[in-house]
Amino acid sequence: MSILKDKNILLGITAGIAAYKSANLVRLFIKAGANVKVVMTPASKDFITPLTLSTLSKNPVYSSFTEDGDDSQVWNNHVDLGLWADLLIIAPATANTMAKMANGVCDNILLATYLSAKCPVYFAPAMDLDMYKHETTKASFEKLISFGNKLIPAGTGELASGLVGEGRMAEPEDIFNYIEKDILDQLPLKGKRVLITAGPTYEAIDPVRFIGNHSSGKMGFAIANAAAGLGAEVILVTGPTHQKTGNNFVTVNPVTSADEMYNEVHKHYKETDIAILSAAVADYRPKNVASQKIKKKEFTFTIELEKTKDILKSLGEIKSHQFLVGFALETNNALEHAKGKLKSKNLDLIVLNSLQDKGAGFGVSTNKVTFITSTNEIIENDLKSKREVAQDLMELILKQTHA
Ligand code: CTP
């Protein structure tokens, strides 16, 4: 999954021959799952048609302050466009447009949108080699960079003039990769490893039967995706579940029993920065596992159970630099029990899960949780989607770890 998924991308196109390549850039953004709107300078329409770009972007294309051909002369709101955008990318950026951007000139809708936008701005220049080297172009670059805008440098190659040199717009794939990498590099958990457990565990009784529970794994998978969205490399150790992540930054390690989960988690813990144990691990397992299917001979049947290893507790005991988060599922004296677990398992944060509230707990897509920090700060939350709970949790962890 690309980090650009669901991002609102505004692509500004100016009047250079490289504008034809911008069609491919739109396709790359759309393929990555981004929402794309295109804003063109009027002159750029000589190089690529708005119809091509609106077809590819699946959105109207803006090239003037009013909607063309509309008798009511509906105003195209550049302020709304600027505020809609998570990213503004101007590719190709001509010497003319860059000089105007550098000096606050605002004589077309692209420039007005640029002035209104509060989001990060990238620009990919394209022009002939002498123009690229000209002092005034260099001055534009410097000024735009000083505003915090990001230059995606032009490449060297054959130019429309027939000359060979610097000034070719970076290839669409390179622009795409540059932006993706730039965003990833700035994420707060970049370079951090997060270990997460999810789902139930199955404890074998015989070759065909097991003791399990109703955990769906939804909460743990949502946390894994939220952590990956913040740039972390995520190791997700999960019991049997139908959940899928589809995120390149999440490595899924499936396990079945509590014992397997224990071993897998301990393999990764040393290199972990943040460990979040949301799995509903079986507390007991059959003491003896029958090697053959048990026949129904007896009228009553008893299975002797023994305790499984407490994975969370074992991590608390050997904790060094890790930030350790546990979950607690309580039905009575919830706060008191959760605080007790926070202390006895040497945690930095505990997420108290409620089974009392409608819409919270196993199987459903919503959850109602209370966060308790190691300094006894209690943060109560409303019923939210598990995705939102995961995001709230990761934000709190960021705050607590000052990441
Ligand atoms: N947990 C674990 N290994 C186990 C049991 C639980 O890592 N064998 C973790 C869970 O993933 C969760 C936390 O411990 O993060 C709390 O689990 P919970 O069942 O609420 O508490 P327990 O400590 O098992 O205590 P009790 O069942 O007595 O309430």
Side-chain angles (χ1 to χ4, degrees), residues 165-208:
E166 207 175 5
R168 259 173 88 100
M169 185 177 83
E171 291 303 321
E173 287 78 9
D174 297 332
I175 295 176
F176 181 90
N177 292 339
Y178 183 101
I179 294 167
E180 234 191 1
K181 184 175 179 310
D182 190 61
I183 295 173
L184 283 172
D185 284 348
Q186 291 173 60
L187 290 174
L189 290 182
K190 173 83 189 158
K192 301 275 183 211
R193 185 174 284 185
V194 178
L195 176 64
I196 295 167
T197 67
T201 63
Y202 288 179
E203 309 303 324
I205 298 171
D206 68 13
V208 293

Side-chain angles (χ1 to χ4, degrees), residues 277 279 281-283 308-312 326-329 341 345:
L277 272 65
V281 186
D283 288 328
T308 55
K309 289 181 201 153
D310 189 325
I311 307 167
L312 184 59
F327 274 66
L329 189 63
K341 280 180 193 170
K345 299 194 187 192

Side-chain angles (χ1 to χ4, degrees), residues 112-139:
T113 306
Y114 168 71
L115 285 178
S116 307
K118 293 201 172 91
C119 61
V121 177
Y122 296 83
F123 62 104
M127 66 200 73
D128 210 53
L129 74 167
D130 294 318
M131 293 168 79
Y132 197 76
K133 285 208 179 99
H134 199 280
E135 285 307 314
T136 188
T137 307
K138 277 193 206 155

Side-chain angles (χ1 to χ4, degrees), residues 208-329:
V208 293
R209 302 181 181 97
F210 60 84
I211 296 174
N213 60 64
H214 290 299
S215 169
S216 63
K218 280 184 185 163
M219 193 65 243
F221 274 68
I223 298 169
N225 286 336
L230 292 169
E233 183 198 334
V234 178
I235 311 278
L236 176 60
V237 181
T238 176
T241 167
H242 295 297
Q243 301 300 313
K244 299 227 167 352
T245 143
N247 191 313
N248 299 341
F249 299 95
V250 180
T251 306
V252 181
N253 295 338
V255 294
T256 305
S257 65
D259 217 36
E260 282 173 25
M261 189 174 272
Y262 178 94
N263 291 333
E264 193 60 37
V265 162
H266 275 272
K267 257 193 230 166
H268 302 283
Y269 189 54
K270 229 170 144 193
E271 273 84 48
T272 291
D273 298 291
I274 299 164
I276 306 167
L277 272 65
S278 70
V281 186
D283 288 328
Y284 291 92
R285 65 176 177 199
K287 192 165 178 196
N288 301 302
V289 181
S291 58
Q292 304 293 331
K293 187 182 168 206
I294 299 168
K295 291 296 199 187
K296 52 174 185 300
K297 283 188 286 200
E298 320 291 339
F299 191 69
T300 60
F301 185 71
T302 307
I303 302 173
E304 193 181 350
L305 301 177
E306 65 180 3
K307 263 194 177 167
T308 55
K309 289 181 201 153
D310 189 325
I311 307 167
L312 184 59
K313 191 158 187 264
S314 70
L315 299 187
E317 281 161 3
I318 56 166
K319 188 168 81 171
S320 51
H321 64 284
Q322 297 89 346
F323 188 88
L324 185 57
V325 183
F327 274 66
L329 189 63

